[in-house]
Amino acid sequence: MTGTDILYLVIPCYNEEAVLPETAKRLLEKMNSMLERKMISEKSRILFVNDGSKDRTWEIIEELHGENPIYSGVKLSRNKGHQNALLAGLMTAKERSDMTISLDADLQDDIDVIDEMVEKYYAGNDVVYGVRSARKTDTFFKKFTAQGFYKMMQMMGVDVVYNHADYRLMSRRALEGLEEFKEVNLFLRGIVPLIGYSSDVVTYERHERFAGESKYPLKKMLALAMDGITSFSIKPIRFITTCGFLIFAVSLLMLVYFLVVHFTGRTVHGWTSTIVSIWAIGGLQLLAIGIVGEYIGKIYMETKERPKYIIEKTLDTREETAGDSL
């Protein structure tokens, strides 16, 4: 362990004025502790990414930067969502660091395992995943939906690390690999494992949010799950094809049945089978159109090649820039 490698902590922020001062304090204590033990370079930074916040988040970041140069900031021109904001921070840190660790502003992810992540980096790992060992602080609904999400992703053939969100260490080489992925519909939990390179995990228990409100309600979680499935798997479309074949096979059997009934004179006029068939086939058709439409929508967004984010301003004593985009 040389202690000469530069570490950047990348923290996406959206309306985080309630937690930012305490988060900055705790992260500074962690960085100072690592500096004292010569685990990281003195050029290491804490990089906050303001994702179009409507509160005082950016003002607080500017104040922190003015008080201590270890605090850096990136201001996006508008809200682009957690995944894009995280990517903006990672790409900003890529040219200035040897390793980055991404984490949420609420510090529900245990920062005490940062030391272990860095040690595994020095041991030769390009990616170190933070994996939750337990979900004691989650409600039953949150725990059930989260575990169901990971199981469904794996069932769909998406290579994700179970119980891992976006708390991870990545080397510069891994970030350069990440930069090669050009898709607009970002799902970093699925992209990072595709990079390859040597990787390891650290486990931790997730804490309760100490202030503010969660920025990932059920609606956003469902949207993230949909992005993950449609960006990395075509199994839903294959499922439609399978259903089509099954329904066609059933229709042939029903045709034989109705012909037999007709020629034996046992025809029964009724609404039940007709109505059930209409509703079942109609519902399946709408579902199929919706799933295919979701994929077409993804293709539509990808072909536009719009920038994932635009950086309005950067605060860093090592380099002051403005107007960057990707």
Side-chain angles (χ1 to χ4, degrees):
M1 187 182 301
T2 64
T4 59
D5 286 4
I6 301 171
L7 168 66
Y8 264 62
L9 301 181
V10 178
I11 305 100
C13 303
Y14 178 69
N15 294 342
E16 298 288 5
E17 66 176 358
V19 303
L20 211 50
E22 180 64 22
T23 296
K25 176 185 174 183
R26 295 186 189 182
L27 292 178
L28 179 60
E29 291 173 353
K30 170 56 64 177
M31 294 289 273
N32 285 336
S33 171
M34 298 174 73
L35 286 167
E36 289 174 3
R37 286 178 286 139
K38 301 187 183 302
M39 293 183 68
I40 56 176
S41 167
E42 292 182 354
K43 296 180 181 179
S44 299
R45 296 287 184 268
I46 301 169
L47 177 62
F48 295 107
V49 182
N50 180 43
D51 184 24
S53 299
K54 296 184 174 75
D55 60 5
R56 293 190 64 255
T57 294
W58 181 246
E59 286 79 2
I60 294 173
I61 294 172
E62 289 183 313
E63 291 170 3
L64 291 169
H65 176 68
E67 295 170 1
N68 193 330
I70 197 172
Y71 297 114
S72 297
V74 170
K75 181 181 182 182
L76 302 188
S77 61
R78 61 181 296 271
N79 178 258
K80 295 294 290 184
H82 179 271
Q83 296 291 281
N84 286 306
L86 177 54
L87 182 67
L90 293 175
M91 292 299 103
T92 300
K94 176 175 68 69
E95 301 299 332
R96 312 176 189 189
S97 65
D98 300 297
M99 53 180 161
T100 65
I101 295 179
S102 57
L103 64 161
D104 292 337
D106 55 22
L107 295 190
Q108 287 186 277
D109 298 320
D110 186 7
I111 63 174
D112 287 334
V113 301
I114 288 178
D115 308 66
E116 189 178 350
M117 285 183 168
V118 173
E119 289 172 356
K120 289 182 180 293
Y121 161 79
Y122 282 121
N125 293 287
D126 287 283
V127 181
V128 182
Y129 300 100
V131 177
R132 301 167 191 171
S133 59
R135 289 181 172 270
K136 296 179 181 178
T137 60
D138 289 347
T139 62
F140 171 79
F141 179 76
K142 170 71 174 178
K143 185 184 300 184
F144 176 78
T145 54
Q147 291 177 343
F149 165 74
Y150 288 107
K151 291 177 180 178
M152 181 176 63
M153 294 296 288
Q154 291 175 341
M155 183 179 66
M156 290 289 178
V158 183
D159 184 16
V160 293
V161 178
Y162 188 74
N163 265 343
H164 163 71
D166 287 302
Y167 188 26
R168 72 179 74 87
L169 178 147
M170 297 183 70
S171 69
R172 178 183 292 185
R173 184 170 72 149
L175 289 177
E176 289 171 348
L178 176 62
E179 192 175 23
E180 296 298 314
F181 290 80
K182 303 300 183 182
E183 56 248 56
V184 173
N185 302 287
L186 284 178
F187 184 67
L188 294 176
R189 302 179 200 183
I191 294 176
V192 173
L194 296 178
I195 297 173
Y197 297 140
S198 56
S199 64
D200 204 341
V201 302
V202 297
T203 58
Y204 66 95
E205 289 193 16
R206 188 167 169 83
H207 303 311
E208 292 185 5
R209 186 180 176 95
F210 60 84
E213 298 179 353
S214 172
K215 302 304 182 296
Y216 253 94
L218 179 61
K219 181 179 179 181
K220 285 190 176 182
M221 288 184 64
L222 291 174
L224 181 66
M226 181 62 71
D227 281 341
I229 293 171
T230 55
S231 295
F232 288 87
S233 176
I234 61 170
K235 285 193 175 181
I237 290 182
R238 289 178 177 172
F239 173 75
I240 293 174
T241 304
T242 302
C243 286
F245 278 116
L246 289 176
I247 292 174
F248 179 69
V250 171
S251 67
L252 292 178
L253 294 175
M254 293 300 292
L255 175 62
V256 173
Y257 170 75
F258 285 123
L259 286 174
V260 171
V261 169
H262 174 75
F263 286 112
T264 55
R266 292 187 290 111
T267 304
V268 178
H269 297 282
W271 288 98
T272 304
S273 59
T274 303
I275 296 300
V276 170
S277 298
I278 292 174
W279 279 89
I281 299 300
L284 182 61
Q285 287 176 332
L286 290 175
L287 175 64
I289 292 171
I291 293 176
V292 173
E294 187 71 27
Y295 280 93
I296 293 174
K298 289 290 190 297
I299 296 170
Y300 172 72
M301 294 304 296
E302 294 290 346
T303 56
K304 283 182 172 293
E305 297 185 351
R306 290 175 176 171
K308 301 180 186 69
Y309 56 83
I310 296 176
I311 295 178
E312 180 179 334
K313 188 176 182 181
T314 301
L315 300 175
D316 196 323
T317 54
R318 297 176 59 193
E319 182 182 354
E320 298 287 346
T321 62
D324 297 332
S325 67
L326 179 66

